[in-house]
Amino acid sequence: MIDAVSLLRKNGLLKQIDERVDIDLEIAHTSYIEVKKSDSKALLFTNVTDKSGRKYPPVLTNLYGSKEATRLIFGCEPDVIAERIEALLKPKKPKNFKQKLDFLAHLYSMKNTLVKRESGRGECQERVLLGDEARLSLLPALRTWQGDAGRFITMGQVYTQSLDGEQANLGMYRLQIYDDFRLGMHWQIHKDGAHFFHEYKRAGRKMPVSVAIGGDPLYIWCGQAPLPKGVFELLLYGFIRGRGARLVKSITNEIYIPHDADFVIEGFVDTDKFEIEGPFGDHTGFYTPAEPFPFMQVSAITSKREPIFYATVVGKPPLEDKFMGYATERVFLPLLRTTVPELIDYNMPENGVFHNLILAKINTLYPAHAKQAMHAFWGVGQMSFVKHAIFVPSDAPRLEDYDGFSDYVLDRFAPHAMLISEGVCDQLDHASPNSCFGGKLGIDATIDFAPVAPNLLSDGELLDKFNTILPAFSELYTYKRQSKNPICVVKFDKSVSAALVLERLGALREHFRIIVLLDSDARLKNPYMIIWRVVNNIDAKRDIYINGELVCVDATKKGENDGYTRAWPNMTDCTKSVVKSLADRGIVGYDEVLFEKFEIFG
């Protein structure tokens, strides 16, 4: 068991805020700004209230707010866990009797990683509220964004089990509070929790659910880990900790939960009842739409005597999921290699929102090897949600060297390097024409297509020439001018189609190679946020146009003229009056440079 507050405080990674703060926007905005700093810390809010003056237990945010915090929570570098997994997947043959004994001892020790279901009550059940006393309004759940439908639990560990009780699952989902006794279950269609839900629905039975909050912070990371279907996430917890998770039975249902959780919400889901969930400003940096989802009827709320409420804040990058994703990336490399043995390394840039962009380095052995690897990635568990993947050979720059990496790719790129396909995508993806299904792009930079650099003009000259042919552009900026494929980003008036743009501008092909169309609110000299916009806003099958050696990427908002029939979502922007109030009270610093860099206000 780990005391997260003591661990972070001891290592100088915790900032305690004793000023009065509101669960409505204020805690979330403070945390959102803090985690974007280069020296970000976890935040412990000790004077938590709402507009009625009600007092709440302390709230802890940005728990995984730095690489240092992540290493402390894991107890080691995530790469060390990866090495242990690799050794388990590919054990070396013992060469002598001692090595055989050591290997047997290692296998025997694995039994300690199994979960331990204990009798009696745990720390999480020191206080028990039942029936009408078990009210969700007693919890300091946050409203993060102005456009959110209400308050959401954002760091809940959702424990479920299969109908026959043979399989258990731990997931991390947002949970909307509808009233005192109903809690939304945002089970996306691909999740194990949703699969269990359908088992209960077919059987005509209510589904037991328990939601834990707090306790060992490693639980929540395990809850979002991309494990194979049917593997209980707490087995990974036991593997990392070297000891099994200690579980106790819920008071009002048969679900087992960690003994050291700070809070536990128990209840049942009636599989015939749904409630409109959302909108909610999610980790993509956009609001997800209001849609029907199941909900849990609360039967009990239990807690420690002095609990702390954990919460995470999602929105535009970078956020806490940057560091959680870093650990996931490192730990799961050996498992990915079981599908793509030639994989050397991979990287999920934070502004690619992880599933929207992945960079991979492979040891290519034959023609089209990279394209084979693309299909393999798109067919593996949660990797199947990846929208865009760029593959480079073993001699390419380090994947974390984004500047050198992009130079390398652009100097080899040609339209022939692109594989445009389609398949499943994350249910939160707003760009795809259909929920859960859309276009994918793979770029094979393992081959040098020997592109010819254009005859570059100044940005002003090129903008004038563009507008002479098609008066639809208000601003232009060129990135990577020294490369063979400079990237020209433009603010675009969507009075004409992107297809027509490339057709008309083809007359100027000697002066450019790649053009990216952006909305008028984009900041053209902010590459970090431009990448975020592009990978969020495009569906590769619909929004990429090719004309010979020219490529056009339409990263603007889509509407009916683009064949897009869903409602295009708004971005998650902080409320200025809230940030100003926090700054006036000395809770946050009013850092205009940071606000502009990460487009805090849009």
Side-chain angles (χ1 to χ4, degrees):
M1 171 181 155
I2 283 185
D3 180 340
V5 170
S6 297
L7 180 70
L8 295 169
R9 194 192 304 277
K10 178 182 176 182
N11 288 274
L13 295 173
L14 180 76
K15 182 187 296 183
Q16 183 167 310
I17 296 178
D18 297 322
E19 288 81 4
R20 177 173 169 165
V21 284
D22 200 311
I23 58 175
D24 186 56
L25 302 181
E26 289 192 344
I27 290 177
H29 281 25
T30 302
S31 306
Y32 184 74
I33 291 168
E34 173 67 27
V35 80
K36 295 182 184 302
K37 299 175 183 177
S38 59
D39 60 347
S40 67
K41 292 179 171 60
L43 300 180
L44 179 64
F45 299 90
T46 60
N47 190 358
V48 180
T49 186
D50 63 15
K51 289 178 175 56
S52 73
R54 170 183 275 175
K55 296 292 185 180
Y56 293 95
V59 173
L60 178 65
T61 66
N62 295 349
L63 185 57
Y64 283 87
S66 65
K67 279 192 175 181
E68 292 77 13
T70 302
R71 294 183 190 113
L72 284 170
I73 291 168
F74 273 74
C76 63
E77 287 281 356
D79 283 315
V80 173
I81 307 300
E83 290 168 4
R84 288 172 52 200
I85 292 175
E86 185 116 53
L88 198 63
L89 294 171
K90 297 179 180 179
K92 295 179 180 178
K93 184 177 179 180
K95 295 180 180 179
N96 53 50
F97 184 69
K98 182 181 181 304
Q99 289 183 0
K100 289 180 181 179
L101 289 178
D102 289 344
F103 182 66
L104 288 173
H106 173 67
L107 290 180
Y108 183 74
S109 71
M110 292 295 291
K111 71 177 179 61
N112 296 324
T113 67
L114 301 177
V115 296
K116 296 173 175 60
R117 290 178 169 84
E118 302 179 347
S119 60
R121 293 191 176 185
E123 293 176 58
C124 62
Q125 295 161 332
E126 291 172 337
R127 294 181 181 273
V128 177
L129 299 175
L130 299 171
D132 289 346
E133 291 186 335
R135 290 175 285 125
L136 293 169
S137 58
L138 298 174
L139 302 177
L142 310 181
R143 185 165 76 113
T144 304
W145 303 109
Q146 192 77 47
D148 283 354
R151 296 195 297 135
F152 287 77
I153 295 171
T154 54
M155 223 172 194
Q157 309 156 36
V158 183
Y159 290 89
T160 55
Q161 65 181 27
S162 58
L163 181 64
D164 61 11
E166 293 297 313
Q167 293 184 41
N169 179 254
L170 162 58
M172 178 184 177
Y173 323 109
R174 72 194 197 210
L175 307 166
Q176 182 175 349
I177 294 176
Y178 293 113
D179 52 39
D180 267 338
F181 306 110
R182 294 185 305 150
L183 184 65
M185 293 285 121
H186 192 256
W187 283 319
Q188 296 173 43
I189 192 171
H190 307 106
K191 304 293 187 180
D192 282 353
H195 299 156
F196 290 168
F197 171 85
H198 289 294
E199 288 182 11
Y200 285 88
K201 186 172 181 63
R202 286 191 293 269
R205 288 179 52 186
K206 291 185 178 180
M207 178 178 174
V209 180
S210 288
V211 178
I213 300 167
D216 189 329
L218 188 60
Y219 298 140
I220 198 66
W221 179 85
C222 291
Q224 56 82 58
L227 286 169
K229 183 180 178 180
V231 176
F232 188 24
E233 287 74 10
L234 288 187
L235 292 175
L236 178 59
Y237 171 91
F239 180 81
I240 294 171
R241 283 281 179 260
R243 60 182 184 277
R246 294 170 53 199
L247 308 182
V248 295
K249 185 177 174 297
S250 298
I251 302 293
T252 59
N253 65 34
E254 60 267 38
I255 301 295
Y256 279 77
I257 35 69
H259 77 106
D260 59 332
D262 284 74
F263 293 92
V264 178
I265 307 165
E266 304 176 11
F268 294 85
V269 171
D270 185 331
T271 57
D272 291 326
K273 294 181 178 180
F274 293 80
E275 183 62 85
I276 296 299
E277 196 270 359
F280 176 72
D282 218 309
H283 75 278
T284 59
F286 289 82
Y287 286 92
T288 50
E291 295 180 299
F293 277 91
F295 61 88
M296 177 175 80
Q297 193 74 31
V298 176
S299 56
I301 296 177
T302 70
S303 72
K304 293 178 177 176
R305 285 192 184 87
E306 296 183 354
I308 294 175
F309 189 89
Y310 293 10
T312 189
V313 175
V314 290
K316 299 176 191 174
L319 289 170
E320 184 174 10
D321 59 4
K322 162 184 175 177
F323 304 105
M324 297 177 77
Y326 149 75
T328 301
E329 172 194 294
R330 296 296 87 206
V331 169
F332 283 87
L333 177 58
L335 290 175
L336 269 178
R337 284 180 179 146
T338 63
T339 302
V340 185
E342 294 76 27
L343 179 66
I344 298 169
D345 201 1
Y346 75 114
N347 177 268
M348 299 184 292
E350 65 201 57
N351 52 341
V353 199
F354 304 105
H355 59 266
N356 281 346
L357 177 63
I358 191 167
L359 316 177
K361 182 178 287 191
I362 65 170
N363 180 26
T364 49
L365 303 178
Y366 40 79
H369 195 166
K371 289 185 172 62
Q372 180 191 47
M374 292 173 196
H375 287 297
F377 266 57
W378 289 331
V380 178
Q382 291 189 36
M383 277 292 173
S384 61
F385 301 147
V386 171
K387 287 175 64 176
H388 312 103
I390 304 174
F391 284 74
V392 295
S394 57
D395 60 352
R398 289 186 314 107
L399 299 181
E400 298 79 13
D401 175 12
Y402 297 141
D403 201 42
F405 178 90
S406 56
D407 285 339
Y408 182 90
V409 171
L410 291 170
D411 280 340
R412 300 163 73 86
F413 175 81
H416 294 302
M418 293 192 295
L419 171 66
I420 296 178
S421 181
E422 60 183 349
V424 298
C425 61
D426 193 296
Q427 194 166 354
L428 301 180
D429 178 61
H430 65 265
S432 57
N434 313 288
S435 176
C436 306
F437 182 80
K440 294 178 178 292
L441 169 67
I443 296 177
D444 181 1
T446 65
I447 300 171
D448 186 351
F449 287 93
V452 177
N455 176 24
L456 283 182
L457 302 174
S458 70
D459 288 343
E461 290 173 314
L462 187 59
L463 180 62
D464 288 344
K465 286 185 177 292
F466 278 2
N467 280 321
T468 299
I469 293 176
L470 190 67
F473 311 101
S474 59
E475 190 178 342
L476 179 152
Y477 184 76
T478 304
Y479 286 96
K480 298 295 181 180
R481 296 181 67 90
Q482 79 287 358
S483 77
K484 295 178 182 177
N485 278 285
I487 299 174
C488 176
V489 296
V490 294
K491 291 186 179 182
F492 173 56
D493 171 10
K494 288 201 73 170
S495 57
V496 296
S497 70
L500 183 62
V501 168
L502 196 58
E503 178 185 331
R504 294 279 185 86
L505 297 187
L508 298 172
R509 67 179 60 246
E510 65 177 303
H511 299 304
F512 76 101
R513 288 293 177 266
I514 300 171
I515 184 170
V516 178
L517 309 180
L518 297 167
D519 291 307
S520 59
D521 62 346
R523 294 164 174 78
L524 297 192
K525 295 185 180 180
N526 188 344
Y528 181 95
M529 296 305 292
I530 285 177
I531 290 171
W532 168 76
R533 281 175 181 260
V534 171
V535 297
N536 261 302
N537 281 358
I538 72 169
D539 178 89
K541 198 164 185 182
R542 179 194 60 221
D543 297 328
I544 295 178
Y545 301 86
I546 300 170
N547 181 349
E549 72 277 33
L550 305 181
V551 175
C552 176
V553 179
D554 180 6
T556 61
K557 299 174 185 175
K558 306 302 183 303
E560 289 186 4
N561 291 337
D562 304 291
Y564 186 88
T565 56
R566 299 197 282 164
W568 193 265
N570 292 324
M571 299 177 189
T572 55
D573 297 327
C574 287
T575 303
K576 286 186 178 180
S577 59
V578 172
V579 175
K580 184 178 185 304
S581 173
L582 291 167
D584 289 345
R585 287 143 57 199
I587 296 170
V588 302
Y590 204 89
D591 186 342
E592 293 186 2
V593 174
L594 183 139
F595 293 176
E596 179 71 15
K597 179 179 179 180
F598 297 116
E599 300 183 7
I600 297 289
F601 300 122

